[in-house]
Amino acid sequence: MDAWWQCEIPYPYVDKRITDAADSVRASLPNRLCDPRIAANLFHEVLDEFALCDELGMNVLCIEHHAGINSLIGSNPMITGILARQTRNVRVLSLGTLISLRPDPVRVAEEYATADCLLRGRFEIGFVKSGGTEVASSNMQPVNNEERFWEAIDLIKKTLTSHDGPFSWEGKHYTHRHVNIWPGPYQQPHPRMWAATGDPRSAAEVGRRGMTHVLVLRGPEGTKKAYEAHRTARREAGLPKVTTDNFAYAAMVYVGETEEEGIEGGTKLLWFLNTSLKSAPQYNKFLPGAAPPQAAPGLYRTMPRAEAGLALTDAEKGVAPASQNAQKLMGLTAQEAMQQGILFAGTPDSVHRQIMEFYDKVGGFGHLCLIGRSGYMTHEESKKGIRLFSKEVLPRLREVAPVEVG
């Protein structure tokens, strides 16, 4: 098993009275509430933390979000380019450019190929379906967002693997008459591709495409169900079995010298759930195309009825959309988050035990993506957590070899 450290570079320094009164902390808060001097310090601190991961041999990943306190990284390619020059040893995962919000997937493919060359083959490509607030802030059509997502992936893959001169693309959502990027990717035929998705239908598509499948904060039941959908789709399509290296899980992780210190750090990470997930209904359940029509009656209720098949417990199972999963996560304490496999915190021994217990519950995975800093965690606290995890936990995880799952 390998590990990938990340920080979304959140901005927690907005008066709580403002965030409590706001209907959404994403997309709608005025940016006058963000002090660019503080933002600059946060960027430099986290870039230094990525450099520390490189020094200690732990892979890194970079995300992208827009117009909210949850993340200041509005340009994944820019941060990835910095990491390409700043790191020397580890792999860098872009997870990732929100491709269904970009008008030209070919330009995205060019950015990926450039990053792979800069990294001399240490690059991995991750695709994430955009959230509701990002659809609004990007001025994109929310209907058919998933169709655009998969078509963009197809066009990006063909662009990265075509080396015999221009080709044309005539798709449902994208038309490009002349595709011929320079340079192509360093890795042939292309860097490994990941996709983050939790619902069974998308999980099945990830499986058929043979991509690395990452689940984010879905807990054991939702993760197991998605992994099973991935494997079942491959089996039904007559495709070969895969190993646990095809699966990844993202959780909040903090390691301390004592159990108390570890849980205190983990509690600070919960800011991401307790504050930054707050989103207004127009950005989720009332957003056109955000959920299948059969789910709409249950979504429009404040508390969906269990008998309608849309209980909040089903959000973890991948039945309900991400917006309901977010509702379920917002009030969790550290102990509750640990029980649900959303937070791994404590001493090195206890964190290793928690990870392996989760591994057994979901049927195994080959990659752990660590949300290692959030909220009011300081630079020094973050670096301490990185060092302890890298030196005391990661070597034990790397002893877990890939096994075939089918």
Side-chain angles (χ1 to χ4, degrees):
M1 187 190 304
D2 218 335
W4 307 72
W5 187 87
Q6 68 154 314
C7 173
E8 303 200 352
I9 315 186
Y11 189 91
Y13 306 106
V14 175
D15 192 306
K16 190 175 185 299
R17 292 170 296 182
I18 295 175
T19 57
D20 286 346
D23 62 354
S24 177
V25 299
R26 302 185 181 204
S28 299
L29 288 179
N31 65 16
R32 60 178 167 78
L33 299 172
C34 178
D35 185 334
R37 293 166 297 183
I38 296 176
N41 290 339
L42 290 171
F43 275 116
H44 283 281
E45 286 181 2
V46 173
L47 287 171
D48 286 345
E49 289 160 17
F50 281 130
L52 177 61
C53 291
D54 184 61
E55 177 187 324
L56 296 171
M58 179 161 58
N59 295 331
V60 297
L61 72 86
C62 178
I63 58 85
E64 177 179 303
H65 287 295
H66 298 275
I69 66 174
N70 56 305
S71 174
L72 298 179
I73 304 177
S75 175
N76 181 282
M78 181 174 290
I79 302 300
T80 300
I82 294 170
L83 294 176
R85 280 293 290 165
Q86 185 167 282
T87 62
R88 291 290 181 270
N89 306 302
V90 300
R91 298 191 68 78
V92 176
L93 167 62
S94 167
L95 190 69
T97 299
L98 302 180
I99 54 171
S100 62
L101 304 183
R102 296 279 294 272
D104 185 4
V106 174
R107 176 59 185 268
V108 177
E110 284 184 302
E111 293 166 354
Y112 287 152
T114 301
D116 195 36
C117 286
L118 285 169
L119 283 156
R120 291 190 170 93
R122 291 185 288 116
F123 184 57
E124 310 216 1
I125 299 171
F127 300 105
V128 181
K129 287 183 286 185
S130 54
T133 57
E134 278 137 352
V135 169
S137 63
S138 299
N139 195 36
M140 293 297 289
Q141 168 63 261
V143 177
N144 296 325
N145 181 61
E146 187 163 343
E147 284 187 3
R148 293 199 307 274
F149 177 74
W150 294 117
E151 186 180 332
I153 291 174
D154 289 337
L155 178 49
I156 289 168
K157 185 174 181 179
K158 183 171 176 61
T159 301
L160 292 173
T161 55
S162 295
H163 308 298
D164 298 320
F167 71 88
S168 65
W169 182 272
E170 302 291 336
K172 180 177 179 179
H173 299 285
Y174 302 103
T175 300
H176 209 300
R177 291 184 294 175
H178 188 101
V179 182
N180 184 40
I181 65 169
W182 279 63
Y186 191 93
Q187 299 172 81
Q188 297 296 322
H190 58 75
R192 176 164 56 177
M193 293 184 173
W194 301 46
T197 185
D199 66 277
R201 182 180 62 181
S202 296
E205 185 65 23
V206 174
R208 285 187 289 268
R209 290 166 177 263
M211 304 169 79
T212 300
H213 187 183
V214 56
L215 272 289
V216 182
L217 302 177
R218 284 284 177 166
E221 291 302 319
T223 301
K224 183 177 181 180
K225 187 178 182 71
Y227 288 173
E228 288 175 348
H230 177 125
R231 294 191 290 264
T232 299
R234 291 188 63 82
R235 188 165 56 247
E236 291 175 348
L239 296 169
K241 292 181 179 181
V242 294
T243 72
T244 48
D245 194 49
N246 262 53
F247 301 96
Y249 184 67
M252 293 173 286
V253 182
Y254 191 80
V255 181
E257 293 181 358
T258 65
E259 201 71 17
E260 294 74 19
E261 183 182 48
I263 293 174
E264 181 182 354
T267 300
K268 292 184 177 182
L269 296 177
L270 291 180
W271 179 92
F272 175 79
L273 304 181
N274 297 334
T275 303
S276 81
L277 289 181
K278 188 179 182 182
S279 179
Q282 66 265 29
Y283 299 134
N284 46 69
K285 66 182 180 182
F286 293 145
L287 193 71
Q294 64 269 24
L299 292 174
Y300 294 163
R301 300 186 183 102
T302 302
M303 294 295 291
R305 291 200 304 255
E307 60 269 25
L310 287 164
L312 287 181
T313 53
D314 287 335
E316 186 184 70
K317 299 178 183 178
V319 176
S323 60
Q324 280 195 19
N325 194 54
Q327 288 177 352
K328 185 173 70 70
L329 298 177
M330 285 179 67
L332 292 182
T333 65
Q335 291 298 332
E336 291 169 337
M338 291 168 68
Q339 290 169 4
Q340 295 188 30
I342 292 166
L343 169 66
F344 305 133
T347 64
D349 287 342
S350 64
V351 168
H352 177 259
R353 185 189 70 252
Q354 292 165 43
I355 293 169
M356 295 312 301
E357 288 175 351
F358 188 90
Y359 175 98
D360 292 335
K361 287 179 182 177
V362 302
F365 52 91
H367 305 272
L368 176 67
C369 302
L370 296 76
I371 302 171
R373 178 179 178 180
S374 191
Y376 292 98
M377 182 174 288
T378 67
H379 185 41
E380 294 304 316
E381 289 170 335
S382 180
K383 290 192 294 183
K384 183 173 185 177
I386 290 169
R387 288 192 179 97
L388 283 170
F389 183 91
S390 298
K391 295 179 179 180
E392 303 293 337
V393 181
L394 184 54
R396 284 185 273 181
L397 294 181
R398 285 183 170 154
E399 294 175 0
V400 181
V403 295
E404 188 177 85
V405 288

